[in-house]
Amino acid sequence: MALLDRALVRLLPAVPRPVVKRLSQRYIAGPDLADACRVVQALNERGRMATIDVLGEEVTRREDALALVDAYEDVFETIRREGLVANVSVKPTGLGLNLDRDLCLENIGAIVRWAKERDNFVRIDMEDSSTTSDTLAIYRDLRGQGLDSVGVVLQARLHRTIGDVNDLADLRPSVRVCKGIYLESPEIAYQDPDTIRESFVDIVEALLDIGAYVAIATHDEWVVEQVKRLIAERRLQPEQYEFQMLLGVREGLGDALVSQGHRLRIYVPFGRRWYEYSLRRLQENPSIATYVARDTVGRLIPGRNGR
Ligand SMILES: Cc1cc2nc3c(=O)[nH]c(=O)nc-3n(C[C@H](O)[C@H](O)[C@H](O)COP(=O)(O)OP(=O)(O)OC[C@H]3O[C@@H](n4cnc5c(N)ncnc54)[C@H](O)[C@@H]3O)c2cc1C
């Protein structure tokens, strides 16, 4: 990342919220479920599946966690009514993990049961390393209750992950693999980008070895190419794995994957609690300086991208 970009990333938390909101619009469907529905319909028409995330994390009040559970019931209802090709993603801290682990288990359990009734699926997102063990324990607990319509996420950045793959082997899990967005200390996480990429490919390979369903969540062409090689070597059929990408990121790479016959699912967040998610996405944008400059110019020159 260039010097100016790195400086801007550090400054982002100090940027006024309305500016962050405007800059991050491409990453979020909108404030309402109807916005997510519209975006998913458009994605489906272009041959992409979706996973819908109701924004909200690190809730500090029980009633907020319960409100998020209700919001997911509405999402399932909309998916059914509108015939969307979509499942859902949930964040444990949005569903009360930091308040009470049992409350979180209950909440995720309720959402997974709705998914099961509707032949749908819930992916439990992975948050920072303080939540990893609890999140994996909740996943194991749900599977122990006979709930199969649920999957988890593993982060290539963490040293522990290859061990977690072995621990999950008896469940034949459904796992999304990603690099991991949360910056973690060198004691527990790889710091070098190439090491993280190699770890990503090793983890996908280890998951395929244990018979897992793997969702490959990345916009990194090198990783995509390596995983495509593994898929070809193992002669996997398109329904045995999927690629995943974030809304608003590297659509050209997505087009290429779809035209090559791979399945692609897009992560579609919506809701009014957009701030934390938006900051993370902007901090990952490798050309944030150009991006900010374009937005600023767009507002200064009348009629140019000013909305
Ligand atoms: C579907 C999906 C679900 C995810 N779920 C989780 C999760 O549960 N837990 C978790 O910790 N992380 C999650 N992530 C985030 C992930 O861990 C990475 O932080 C993120 O995907 C960036 O890593 P990358 O593999 O795309 O590689 P990078 O090297 O970061 O990106 C590769 C290229 O993609 C482009 N790019 C990437 N991000 C942006 C952006 N924001 N704006 C513009 N261009 C960009 C750039 O061209 C960049 O050079 C998820 C990612 C995806 C795609």
Side-chain angles (χ1 to χ4, degrees):
M1 226 188 216
L3 215 58
L4 184 57
D5 291 313
R6 274 203 298 271
L8 261 168
V9 161
R10 273 197 297 274
L11 282 175
L12 270 173
V15 170
R17 277 183 175 241
V19 179
V20 172
K21 187 171 189 179
R22 204 178 47 250
L23 286 171
S24 62
Q25 268 165 4
R26 70 189 261 200
Y27 302 119
I28 294 174
D32 299 318
L33 179 52
D35 299 310
C37 183
R38 187 177 30 78
V39 168
V40 172
Q41 272 162 343
L43 290 167
N44 289 169
E45 276 163 23
R46 295 171 60 216
R48 285 135 168 88
M49 308 178 288
T51 185
I52 301 178
D53 168 51
V54 186
L55 289 167
E57 53 196 89
E58 307 215 353
V59 305
T60 50
R61 297 184 322 163
R62 207 180 171 87
E63 51 270 35
D64 290 340
L66 296 175
L68 201 56
V69 177
D70 290 344
Y72 275 103
E73 189 168 22
D74 294 342
V75 172
F76 280 127
E77 196 38 45
T78 301
I79 290 175
R80 191 197 55 75
R81 194 184 58 240
E82 302 295 332
L84 304 176
V85 185
N87 60 32
V88 306
S89 289
V90 300
K91 285 203 170 40
T93 67
L95 294 164
L97 184 62
N98 293 342
L99 290 172
D100 173 359
R101 190 180 162 290
D102 288 343
L103 169 74
C104 182
L105 172 64
E106 222 171 274
N107 287 343
I108 299 183
I111 297 171
V112 175
R113 277 187 200 90
W114 288 328
K116 193 180 169 124
E117 280 162 22
R118 294 166 167 96
D119 205 14
N120 208 305
F121 183 82
V122 179
R123 175 78 56 193
I124 310 175
D125 286 350
M126 189 59 81
E127 300 176 84
D128 71 69
S129 62
S130 69
T131 68
T132 311
S133 295
D134 279 340
T135 302
L136 293 177
I138 286 173
Y139 174 65
R140 179 168 282 282
D141 203 322
L142 294 168
R143 292 292 308 275
Q145 294 175 36
L147 294 168
D148 295 337
S149 317
V150 58
V152 77
V153 177
L154 293 176
Q155 297 160 327
R157 181 185 294 278
L158 296 185
H159 299 161
R160 61 175 282 171
T161 296
I162 201 80
D164 289 332
V165 172
N166 294 330
D167 292 346
L168 289 169
D170 60 309
L171 297 176
R172 296 205 58 202
S174 168
V175 180
R176 173 197 296 154
V177 184
C178 65
K179 287 184 182 174
I181 174 67
Y182 305 89
L183 295 181
E184 306 285 357
S185 72
E187 286 74 41
I188 62 163
Y190 304 114
Q191 309 293 315
D192 168 49
D194 285 341
T195 311
I196 297 171
R197 290 164 129 189
E198 279 158 22
S199 162
F200 194 122
V201 179
D202 290 347
I203 287 158
V204 171
E205 191 157 25
L207 283 166
L208 293 174
D209 285 344
I210 63 162
Y213 179 87
V214 188
I216 306 107
T218 185
H219 320 92
D220 183 327
E221 263 163 35
W222 184 86
V223 174
V224 167
E225 286 310 314
Q226 295 302 311
V227 173
K228 274 163 49 179
R229 177 181 54 76
L230 293 178
I231 288 166
E233 278 170 12
R234 290 166 190 249
R235 299 180 201 280
L236 296 182
Q237 297 304 303
E239 61 281 2
Q240 290 178 283
Y241 63 90
E242 66 190 54
F243 285 93
Q244 295 191 347
M245 293 174 60
L246 299 169
L247 184 67
V249 180
R250 300 216 61 187
E251 290 189 4
L253 180 59
D255 290 340
L257 285 168
V258 171
S259 70
Q260 290 158 9
H262 301 285
R263 296 197 307 163
L264 175 63
R265 189 180 300 277
I266 306 292
Y267 191 97
V268 177
F270 81 95
R272 291 170 194 276
R273 300 192 54 185
W274 49 270
Y275 184 70
E276 291 83 0
Y277 182 87
S278 299
L279 264 198
R280 283 201 299 274
R281 294 286 83 84
L282 289 171
Q283 284 167 338
E284 269 186 332
N285 188 329
S287 44
I288 183 74
T290 321
Y291 197 49
V292 172
R294 264 202 215 126
D295 176 79
T296 313
V297 171
R299 278 179 304 116
L300 294 179
I301 301 176
R304 246 207 90 206
N305 194 26
R307 275 155 294 151

